Amino acid sequence: FDCYHMKYFELLFTTGRCGAMRIMMADQGQEWKEIVVDFADWMKGDLKATCVFGQLPKLEDGGFALYQSNAILRHLGRNHDAYGKDGKEAALIDMMCDGVEDLRLKYVKMIYQEYDTGKDVYIKDLPNHLDKFEAVMAKNKTGFLVGDKPSFADYSLFEVLLNHLVLCSSCLDTFPSLKSFVEKMSARPKIKTFLDSEAYKKLPINGNG
Amino acid sequence: VSLTLTYFPVRGRAEVIRVMLKDQGAEFDEKVITMEMWKESTLKASCVSNPLFGQLPIFEDGDLTLYQTNAIRRHLARKLGLYGKDQREAALIDMMDEAIQDLLNKYVKLMFEKDDSGKEGYLKALPTDLKPFEKTLSGDKGSFLVGDKISLADYALVILLIHHQVLSPPCLHAFPSLQSYLKRLCARPNLHAYFHSDDFKNRPIIPGKRT
């Protein structure tokens, strides 16, 4: 193949469930084409009916269609040698990614359901969730969660931390390893180019602003 | 190399791990943690500090200690050859499994609600969630969700369907392919033996709820 094709809502979910995979593809020098689905068109139902679980995002890799954002992340991880060097690392990467997913679910719930009432409580509680990642990052010392190169879990964590920094710019101040992780990832040349791009900057993080 | 599963004395999130290991004839030890033991701070604290997330199950494979049910399941799937024959099948298995996890999370939420008020709405919505799996398993290809061998995703679906039948016995009436799939998988010798064992039957689905 020459590149992936990705279908996603621009407005409704945007970086939320696609952010990590975009950053990963950018960093890995993997070209992709984005097909933005207009929400009004989506509600007509024709495309939705062709999606196995009636949801987006969808990734097309050659003639092969894949749904479910974490399945897509793992697929990219396998394709780009970002799934650890052996079975043991793979298991640890899975564990980390599942932990990030738990945090992302909490974040999404707060954003969509409880922003006005729950935002302050969420930010106050955040250190109790971030400390685990800080501990892992500090212990590993390589600047990645597992092993000595970025895995899909790193891209997922990076993306979720970027979103949290928008929510509360000081949230990593007491987590030096995580702060340094975000700085180093942001400085990786291809990621920096992507984050500075117009395409990235105009994407809202979440569907409700 | 020894395998050890540490969990509460319920099916809960760990049951799918037990089912997979039993079907594959893989021996493993179980360390049972009662709620009283869990509430005592030492084990929970050690889970929290080392490294992750203050939760069970814990799985030990030799010197590798894993947390997070799905990471454990994937590790065992890789180890036991239950992850498809190639990368493409692996990706499709992940896709199926993610959707099964979505339904499982809804089910778990319902199970832990304080009363039965959500049950009616849940059962009304259930066919929409089951349809994609029915579609996948219908037609001439479908012995398993992906490919021609049992996978990580099949074990998750089997136990989820069994528990949904406990919740609502007629829930699969409109889904002939799911019914026949369930029948076929439950007829596998090791699974048949396990599902009929006292070990399985006497283990509650969640704390406080009878099977």
Side-chain angles (χ1 to χ4, degrees):
Chain A
F1 67 78
D2 57 335
C3 73
Y4 297 118
H5 292 208
M6 193 163 75
K7 277 194 170 79
Y8 207 38
F9 299 123
E10 182 171 348
L11 286 175
L12 200 67
F13 294 107
T14 62
T15 66
R17 288 227 157 262
C18 256
M21 63 182 83
R22 287 192 184 101
I23 292 169
M24 183 168 171
M25 289 191 286
D27 191 49
Q28 296 288 331
Q30 172 62 60
E31 298 232 332
W32 79 91
K33 183 177 169 201
E34 285 214 32
I35 299 166
V36 174
V37 176
D38 176 75
F39 192 59
D41 284 340
W42 175 252
M43 291 310 282
K44 286 180 197 154
D46 303 329
L47 174 60
K48 189 173 158 72
T50 68
C51 298
V52 178
F53 299 102
Q55 296 171 332
L56 295 181
K58 172 186 185 183
L59 187 82
E60 285 171 59
D61 179 353
F64 167 54
L66 194 58
Y67 303 87
Q68 297 284 351
S69 52
N70 287 312
I72 293 169
L73 267 185
R74 287 194 159 84
H75 177 66
L76 293 172
R78 283 182 204 107
N79 272 1
H80 293 278
D81 194 22
Y83 212 145
K85 68 177 198 283
D86 57 26
K88 182 166 166 165
E89 283 197 353
L92 295 171
I93 287 164
D94 277 333
M95 194 164 84
M96 288 299 133
C97 194
D98 284 354
V100 175
E101 179 64 19
D102 283 350
L103 178 59
R104 181 176 285 111
L105 286 172
K106 289 191 172 86
Y107 167 83
V108 166
K109 182 171 186 236
M110 184 276 295
I111 289 283
Y112 283 101
Q113 294 174 19
E114 302 164 355
Y115 188 80
D116 296 318
T117 54
K119 179 182 165 187
D120 293 336
V121 169
Y122 181 89
I123 291 171
K124 217 170 179 180
D125 189 45
L126 190 55
N128 294 328
H129 303 292
L130 293 181
D131 58 358
K132 283 82 172 157
F133 299 107
E134 172 72 15
V136 170
M137 200 63 83
K139 192 168 177 202
N140 196 31
K141 295 188 177 64
T142 60
F144 304 110
L145 285 167
V146 177
D148 53 17
K149 52 197 259 222
S151 71
F152 66 86
D154 290 299
Y155 296 112
S156 191
L157 177 64
F158 175 55
E159 193 263 344
V160 96
L161 290 178
L162 285 178
N163 291 346
H164 279 82
L165 285 168
V166 171
L167 183 71
C168 170
S169 57
S170 58
C171 70
L172 296 186
D173 286 354
T174 53
F175 299 111
S177 300
L178 290 179
K179 198 166 187 186
S180 154
F181 168 74
V182 170
E183 281 162 13
K184 290 213 177 86
M185 289 292 279
S186 302
R188 287 169 75 87
K190 297 198 177 90
I191 292 184
K192 184 172 188 325
T193 303
F194 176 64
L195 294 179
D196 285 342
S197 71
E198 282 312 303
Y200 176 77
K201 284 199 226 176
K202 76 174 174 141
L203 288 171
I205 297 175
N206 303 300
N208 60 1
Chain B
V1 173
S2 68
L3 305 177
T4 307
L5 171 68
T6 302
Y7 197 57
F8 305 110
V10 298
R11 295 186 201 170
R13 290 203 167 272
E15 191 60 27
V16 64
I17 297 168
R18 293 187 186 105
V19 168
M20 183 156 58
L21 292 171
K22 292 281 181 187
D23 185 57
Q24 293 294 315
E27 300 260 335
F28 64 103
D29 293 325
E30 284 213 47
K31 276 188 210 157
V32 177
I33 306 293
T34 62
M35 282 312 287
E36 292 70 35
M37 291 161 73
W38 183 244
K39 279 171 188 154
E40 271 172 48
S41 60
T42 46
L43 179 63
K44 192 165 163 51
S46 80
C47 288
V48 170
S49 65
N50 172 30
L52 252 34
F53 301 116
Q55 298 167 335
L56 297 186
I58 305 171
F59 196 83
E60 293 158 87
D61 178 355
D63 64 353
L64 176 64
T65 299
L66 288 177
Y67 304 80
Q68 294 283 358
T69 311
N70 294 324
I72 295 165
R73 293 172 57 225
R74 290 196 154 82
H75 173 69
L76 291 172
R78 279 187 287 266
K79 202 179 158 97
L80 299 169
L82 306 167
Y83 222 143
K85 68 177 197 283
D86 54 28
Q87 279 193 183
R88 183 174 161 147
E89 283 198 352
L92 292 171
I93 287 166
D94 278 337
M95 183 174 87
M96 287 291 148
D97 198 68
E98 292 292 336
I100 294 166
Q101 295 307 308
D102 283 349
L103 180 55
L104 173 63
N105 288 333
K106 284 185 194 144
Y107 170 82
V108 168
K109 184 163 183 262
L110 181 72
M111 287 293 108
F112 282 97
E113 275 169 7
K114 290 183 169 58
D115 57 38
D116 271 345
S117 57
K119 186 173 169 181
E120 196 187 324
Y122 181 91
L123 290 175
K124 239 185 178 145
L126 185 61
T128 308
D129 288 313
L130 292 178
K131 235 184 245 152
F133 302 113
E134 172 74 12
K135 193 169 175 195
T136 302
L137 290 167
S138 62
D140 52 10
K141 33 180 176 107
S143 288
F144 301 105
L145 285 168
V146 177
D148 53 16
K149 203 181 156 190
I150 198 167
S151 75
L152 158 85
D154 293 301
Y155 290 114
L157 187 57
V158 158
I159 198 69
L160 192 60
L161 293 175
I162 287 173
H163 287 162
H164 274 85
Q165 285 188 316
V166 171
L167 179 70
S168 166
C171 69
L172 296 186
H173 277 189
F175 300 108
S177 299
L178 282 175
Q179 284 182 53
S180 99
Y181 168 83
L182 188 57
K183 213 170 168 179
R184 224 174 24 249
L185 263 63
C186 290
R188 289 165 71 90
N190 287 348
L191 283 187
H192 183 83
Y194 177 58
F195 289 142
H196 283 86
S197 70
D198 287 338
D199 186 25
F200 176 76
K201 287 196 286 187
N202 294 340
R203 198 180 287 121
I205 296 176
I206 61 166
K209 270 221 162 84
R210 307 235 123 247
T211 57

